[in-house]
Amino acid sequence: MGKELEENIKQREKKLKDFLVLSKELGLSEEHSKKVIDAMLEDPSKLYKQRN
């Protein structure tokens, strides 16, 4: 499960980075971007807790 968990974390991190780039390119409001980022961070947070 360790390798699978690490891969899952890497995928989530990549999605977050991709969103940050796209949100700037699309001109999304900061408020909207923060809401989406908060939602995206909730899931990886659970994965990080599993790692430890």
Side-chain angles (χ1 to χ4, degrees):
M1 181 165 144
K3 186 176 181 176
E4 183 179 320
L5 179 62
E6 292 300 320
E7 285 295 321
N8 201 346
I9 290 171
K10 286 180 185 178
Q11 288 175 353
R12 307 279 175 145
E13 289 173 344
K14 183 181 181 329
K15 287 180 183 180
L16 183 57
K17 289 176 187 177
D18 290 346
F19 173 77
L20 291 171
V21 171
L22 287 174
S23 68
K24 289 179 184 177
E25 289 180 15
L26 295 173
L28 297 178
S29 71
E30 188 175 331
E31 182 180 329
H32 180 73
S33 293
K34 284 182 180 181
K35 287 180 183 179
V36 174
I37 290 169
D38 286 345
M40 293 175 79
L41 287 173
E42 193 173 300
D43 218 24
S45 170
K46 293 174 187 174
L47 295 174
Y48 290 129
K49 288 177 185 175
Q50 287 179 15
R51 181 196 280 167
N52 299 328

Coordinates of all heavy atoms in Angstrom, one line a residue:
M1 N 0.8 -1.2 0.0 CA 0.0 0.0 0.0 C 0.9 1.3 0.0 O 0.5 2.3 -0.5 CB -0.9 0.0 1.2 CG -1.8 1.2 1.3 SD -3.1 1.0 2.4 CE -3.3 2.6 3.1
G2 N 2.1 1.2 0.5 CA 2.9 2.4 0.6 C 3.2 3.0 -0.8 O 3.1 4.2 -1.0
K3 N 3.6 2.1 -1.8 CA 3.8 2.7 -3.1 C 2.6 3.2 -3.7 O 2.6 4.3 -4.4 CB 4.4 1.6 -4.0 CG 4.9 2.0 -5.3 CD 5.5 1.0 -6.1 CE 6.0 1.5 -7.5 NZ 6.7 0.5 -8.3
E4 N 1.5 2.6 -3.6 CA 0.2 3.1 -4.1 C -0.2 4.4 -3.5 O -0.6 5.3 -4.2 CB -0.9 2.0 -3.9 CG -2.2 2.4 -4.5 CD -3.2 1.3 -4.2 OE1 -2.9 0.1 -4.3 OE2 -4.4 1.6 -4.0
L5 N 0.0 4.5 -2.2 CA -0.3 5.7 -1.5 C 0.6 6.9 -2.0 O 0.1 8.0 -2.2 CB -0.1 5.5 0.0 CG -0.4 6.7 0.9 CD1 -1.8 7.2 0.8 CD2 0.0 6.4 2.4
E6 N 1.9 6.6 -2.2 CA 2.8 7.7 -2.6 C 2.4 8.1 -4.1 O 2.4 9.3 -4.4 CB 4.2 7.1 -2.6 CG 4.8 6.9 -1.2 CD 4.8 8.2 -0.4 OE1 5.1 9.3 -0.9 OE2 4.5 8.1 0.8
E7 N 2.0 7.2 -4.9 CA 1.6 7.5 -6.3 C 0.3 8.4 -6.2 O 0.2 9.4 -7.0 CB 1.3 6.3 -7.1 CG 2.6 5.6 -7.6 CD 3.4 6.4 -8.5 OE1 2.8 7.1 -9.4 OE2 4.6 6.4 -8.4
N8 N -0.6 8.0 -5.4 CA -1.8 8.8 -5.2 C -1.5 10.2 -4.8 O -2.1 11.2 -5.3 CB -2.8 8.1 -4.2 CG -4.2 8.4 -4.4 OD1 -4.6 9.4 -5.1 ND2 -5.1 7.7 -3.8
I9 N -0.7 10.3 -3.8 CA -0.3 11.7 -3.3 C 0.4 12.5 -4.4 O 0.0 13.7 -4.6 CB 0.7 11.6 -2.1 CG1 -0.1 11.0 -0.9 CG2 1.3 12.9 -1.8 CD1 0.8 10.7 0.3
K10 N 1.3 11.9 -5.2 CA 1.9 12.6 -6.3 C 0.9 13.1 -7.3 O 1.0 14.2 -7.9 CB 3.0 11.7 -7.0 CG 4.2 11.6 -6.2 CD 5.2 10.7 -6.9 CE 6.4 10.4 -6.0 NZ 7.4 9.5 -6.6
Q11 N -0.1 12.2 -7.6 CA -1.1 12.6 -8.6 C -2.0 13.8 -8.1 O -2.3 14.7 -8.8 CB -2.1 11.4 -8.9 CG -1.4 10.3 -9.7 CD -2.3 9.1 -9.8 OE1 -3.4 9.0 -9.2 NE2 -1.9 8.1 -10.7
R12 N -2.3 13.7 -6.8 CA -3.1 14.8 -6.2 C -2.3 16.1 -6.3 O -2.8 17.2 -6.5 CB -3.5 14.5 -4.8 CG -4.2 13.2 -4.6 CD -5.6 13.3 -5.0 NE -6.2 11.9 -4.9 CZ -7.4 11.7 -4.5 NH1 -8.2 12.6 -4.2 NH2 -7.8 10.4 -4.4
E13 N -1.0 16.1 -5.9 CA -0.2 17.3 -6.0 C -0.1 17.8 -7.4 O -0.1 19.0 -7.6 CB 1.2 16.9 -5.4 CG 1.3 16.7 -3.9 CD 2.6 16.2 -3.4 OE1 3.4 15.7 -4.2 OE2 2.8 16.2 -2.2
K14 N 0.1 16.9 -8.4 CA 0.1 17.4 -9.8 C -1.2 18.1 -10.2 O -1.2 19.1 -10.8 CB 0.4 16.2 -10.7 CG 0.6 16.7 -12.1 CD 0.8 15.5 -13.1 CE 1.0 15.9 -14.5 NZ 0.3 17.0 -15.0
K15 N -2.3 17.5 -9.8 CA -3.6 18.1 -10.1 C -3.7 19.5 -9.5 O -4.2 20.5 -10.1 CB -4.8 17.2 -9.6 CG -4.9 16.0 -10.5 CD -6.1 15.2 -9.9 CE -6.2 13.9 -10.8 NZ -7.3 13.1 -10.3
L16 N -3.2 19.7 -8.3 CA -3.3 21.0 -7.6 C -2.4 22.0 -8.3 O -2.8 23.1 -8.6 CB -2.9 20.8 -6.2 CG -2.9 22.1 -5.3 CD1 -4.3 22.7 -5.3 CD2 -2.5 21.8 -3.9
K17 N -1.2 21.6 -8.7 CA -0.3 22.5 -9.4 C -0.9 22.9 -10.8 O -0.9 24.0 -11.2 CB 1.1 21.8 -9.6 CG 1.9 21.7 -8.4 CD 3.2 20.9 -8.6 CE 3.9 20.7 -7.3 NZ 5.1 19.9 -7.5
D18 N -1.5 21.9 -11.5 CA -2.1 22.1 -12.8 C -3.3 23.1 -12.6 O -3.4 24.0 -13.4 CB -2.7 20.8 -13.4 CG -1.5 19.9 -13.9 OD1 -0.4 20.4 -13.9 OD2 -1.9 18.7 -14.1
F19 N -4.1 23.0 -11.6 CA -5.2 23.9 -11.3 C -4.7 25.3 -11.1 O -5.2 26.3 -11.6 CB -6.1 23.5 -10.1 CG -7.1 24.5 -9.8 CD1 -8.2 24.6 -10.6 CD2 -6.9 25.4 -8.8 CE1 -9.2 25.6 -10.3 CE2 -7.9 26.3 -8.5 CZ -9.0 26.4 -9.3
L20 N -3.6 25.4 -10.3 CA -3.1 26.8 -10.0 C -2.7 27.5 -11.3 O -2.9 28.7 -11.5 CB -1.9 26.7 -9.1 CG -2.2 26.3 -7.7 CD1 -0.9 26.0 -6.9 CD2 -3.0 27.4 -7.0
V21 N -2.0 26.7 -12.2 CA -1.6 27.3 -13.5 C -2.8 27.7 -14.3 O -2.9 28.8 -14.9 CB -0.7 26.3 -14.3 CG1 -0.4 26.8 -15.7 CG2 0.6 26.1 -13.5
L22 N -3.8 26.8 -14.4 CA -5.0 27.0 -15.3 C -5.8 28.1 -14.7 O -6.4 28.9 -15.5 CB -5.8 25.7 -15.4 CG -5.3 24.7 -16.3 CD1 -6.1 23.4 -16.2 CD2 -5.2 25.1 -17.7
S23 N -6.0 28.2 -13.4 CA -6.8 29.3 -12.8 C -6.2 30.7 -13.1 O -7.0 31.6 -13.4 CB -6.9 29.1 -11.3 OG -5.7 29.3 -10.6
K24 N -4.9 30.8 -13.2 CA -4.3 32.1 -13.6 C -4.6 32.4 -15.0 O -4.9 33.5 -15.4 CB -2.8 32.1 -13.2 CG -2.5 32.1 -11.8 CD -1.1 32.1 -11.5 CE -0.8 32.0 -10.0 NZ 0.6 31.9 -9.7
E25 N -4.4 31.3 -15.9 CA -4.6 31.5 -17.3 C -6.0 31.8 -17.7 O -6.3 32.6 -18.6 CB -4.1 30.3 -18.1 CG -2.6 30.1 -18.1 CD -2.2 28.9 -18.8 OE1 -3.0 28.3 -19.6 OE2 -1.0 28.5 -18.6
L26 N -7.0 31.2 -16.9 CA -8.4 31.5 -17.2 C -8.9 32.7 -16.5 O -10.0 33.2 -16.8 CB -9.2 30.3 -16.7 CG -8.9 29.0 -17.5 CD1 -9.7 27.8 -16.8 CD2 -9.4 29.1 -18.9
G27 N -8.1 33.3 -15.6 CA -8.5 34.5 -15.0 C -9.6 34.3 -13.9 O -10.4 35.2 -13.7
L28 N -9.6 33.2 -13.3 CA -10.6 32.9 -12.2 C -10.3 33.9 -11.1 O -9.2 34.2 -10.7 CB -10.5 31.5 -11.7 CG -10.8 30.4 -12.8 CD1 -10.6 29.0 -12.1 CD2 -12.2 30.5 -13.3
S29 N -11.4 34.2 -10.4 CA -11.2 35.1 -9.3 C -10.5 34.4 -8.1 O -10.5 33.2 -8.0 CB -12.6 35.6 -8.7 OG -13.3 34.5 -8.1
E30 N -9.8 35.2 -7.3 CA -9.1 34.6 -6.2 C -10.0 33.9 -5.3 O -9.6 32.8 -4.7 CB -8.3 35.8 -5.5 CG -7.3 35.3 -4.5 CD -6.5 36.4 -3.8 OE1 -6.3 37.4 -4.5 OE2 -6.1 36.2 -2.7
E31 N -11.2 34.5 -5.0 CA -12.1 33.8 -4.1 C -12.5 32.4 -4.6 O -12.5 31.5 -3.9 CB -13.3 34.7 -3.9 CG -14.4 34.2 -3.0 CD -15.6 35.1 -2.9 OE1 -15.4 36.3 -3.0 OE2 -16.7 34.5 -2.6
H32 N -12.8 32.4 -5.9 CA -13.2 31.1 -6.5 C -12.1 30.1 -6.4 O -12.3 28.9 -6.1 CB -13.7 31.3 -7.9 CG -14.1 30.0 -8.6 ND1 -15.3 29.3 -8.3 CD2 -13.5 29.2 -9.5 CE1 -15.4 28.2 -9.0 NE2 -14.3 28.1 -9.7
S33 N -10.9 30.5 -6.8 CA -9.7 29.7 -6.8 C -9.5 29.1 -5.4 O -9.2 27.9 -5.2 CB -8.5 30.4 -7.2 OG -8.6 30.7 -8.6
K34 N -9.6 30.0 -4.3 CA -9.4 29.5 -3.0 C -10.3 28.4 -2.6 O -10.0 27.5 -1.9 CB -9.5 30.7 -2.0 CG -8.3 31.6 -2.0 CD -8.4 32.7 -1.0 CE -7.2 33.6 -1.0 NZ -7.3 34.7 -0.1
K35 N -11.6 28.6 -3.0 CA -12.6 27.6 -2.6 C -12.3 26.2 -3.3 O -12.4 25.2 -2.6 CB -14.0 28.0 -3.1 CG -14.6 29.1 -2.3 CD -15.9 29.5 -2.8 CE -16.5 30.7 -1.9 NZ -17.8 31.1 -2.4
V36 N -11.9 26.3 -4.5 CA -11.5 25.0 -5.2 C -10.3 24.4 -4.6 O -10.2 23.2 -4.4 CB -11.3 25.3 -6.7 CG1 -10.8 24.1 -7.4 CG2 -12.6 25.8 -7.4
I37 N -9.3 25.3 -4.3 CA -8.0 24.8 -3.7 C -8.3 24.1 -2.3 O -7.8 23.1 -2.0 CB -7.0 25.9 -3.6 CG1 -6.5 26.2 -5.0 CG2 -5.8 25.5 -2.7 CD1 -5.7 27.5 -5.1
D38 N -9.1 24.8 -1.5 CA -9.5 24.2 -0.2 C -10.1 22.8 -0.4 O -9.8 21.9 0.3 CB -10.5 25.1 0.5 CG -9.8 26.4 1.1 OD1 -8.5 26.4 1.1 OD2 -10.5 27.3 1.4
A39 N -11.0 22.7 -1.4 CA -11.6 21.4 -1.6 C -10.6 20.4 -2.1 O -10.6 19.2 -1.7 CB -12.7 21.5 -2.6
M40 N -9.7 20.8 -2.9 CA -8.7 19.9 -3.4 C -7.7 19.5 -2.3 O -7.1 18.4 -2.4 CB -7.9 20.5 -4.6 CG -8.8 20.8 -5.8 SD -7.9 21.6 -7.1 CE -6.9 20.3 -7.8
L41 N -7.4 20.3 -1.4 CA -6.5 20.0 -0.3 C -7.1 19.1 0.7 O -6.3 18.4 1.4 CB -6.0 21.3 0.4 CG -5.0 22.2 -0.4 CD1 -4.8 23.5 0.3 CD2 -3.7 21.4 -0.7
E42 N -8.3 19.1 0.8 CA -9.0 18.2 1.9 C -8.7 16.8 1.6 O -8.3 16.0 2.5 CB -10.5 18.5 1.8 CG -11.2 17.9 3.0 CD -12.7 18.3 3.0 OE1 -13.0 19.5 3.0 OE2 -13.5 17.4 2.9
D43 N -8.7 16.3 0.4 CA -8.5 14.9 0.1 C -7.0 14.5 0.3 O -6.8 13.5 1.0 CB -8.9 14.7 -1.4 CG -9.5 13.3 -1.6 OD1 -10.1 12.8 -0.6 OD2 -9.4 12.8 -2.7
P44 N -6.0 15.3 -0.2 CA -4.6 14.9 0.1 C -4.3 14.9 1.6 O -3.4 14.1 2.0 CB -3.8 15.9 -0.7 CG -4.7 16.4 -1.7 CD -6.1 16.4 -1.2
S45 N -4.9 15.8 2.3 CA -4.7 15.8 3.7 C -4.9 14.5 4.4 O -4.2 14.0 5.2 CB -5.6 16.9 4.4 OG -5.5 16.8 5.7
K46 N -6.0 13.8 3.9 CA -6.3 12.5 4.5 C -5.2 11.5 4.1 O -4.9 10.6 4.9 CB -7.7 12.1 3.9 CG -8.8 12.9 4.5 CD -10.1 12.5 3.8 CE -11.2 13.4 4.2 NZ -12.5 13.2 3.5
L47 N -4.7 11.6 2.9 CA -3.7 10.7 2.4 C -2.4 10.9 3.2 O -1.7 10.0 3.5 CB -3.4 10.9 0.9 CG -4.5 10.6 0.0 CD1 -4.2 11.0 -1.5 CD2 -4.9 9.1 0.0
Y48 N -2.0 12.2 3.5 CA -0.8 12.4 4.2 C -0.9 11.8 5.6 O 0.1 11.3 6.2 CB -0.5 13.9 4.4 CG -0.1 14.6 3.1 CD1 -0.7 15.7 2.6 CD2 0.9 14.1 2.3 CE1 -0.3 16.3 1.4 CE2 1.3 14.7 1.1 CZ 0.7 15.8 0.7 OH 1.1 16.4 -0.5
K49 N -2.1 11.9 6.2 CA -2.3 11.3 7.5 C -2.1 9.8 7.5 O -1.6 9.2 8.4 CB -3.7 11.7 8.1 CG -3.8 13.1 8.5 CD -5.2 13.5 9.0 CE -5.2 15.0 9.3 NZ -6.6 15.4 9.6
Q50 N -2.5 9.2 6.4 CA -2.4 7.7 6.2 C -0.9 7.4 6.2 O -0.5 6.3 6.6 CB -3.1 7.2 5.0 CG -4.5 7.2 5.1 CD -5.2 6.7 3.8 OE1 -4.5 6.1 2.9 NE2 -6.5 6.9 3.6
R51 N -0.1 8.3 5.6 CA 1.3 8.0 5.4 C 2.0 7.9 6.7 O 2.9 7.1 6.9 CB 1.9 9.1 4.6 CG 3.4 8.9 4.3 CD 4.1 10.2 3.8 NE 3.9 10.5 2.4 CZ 4.2 11.6 1.9 NH1 4.6 12.6 2.6 NH2 4.0 11.8 0.6
N52 N 1.6 8.8 7.7 CA 2.3 8.8 9.0 C 1.7 7.8 9.9 O 1.5 7.0 10.3 CB 2.2 10.2 9.6 CG 2.9 11.2 8.7 OD1 3.8 10.9 8.0 ND2 2.4 12.4 8.7

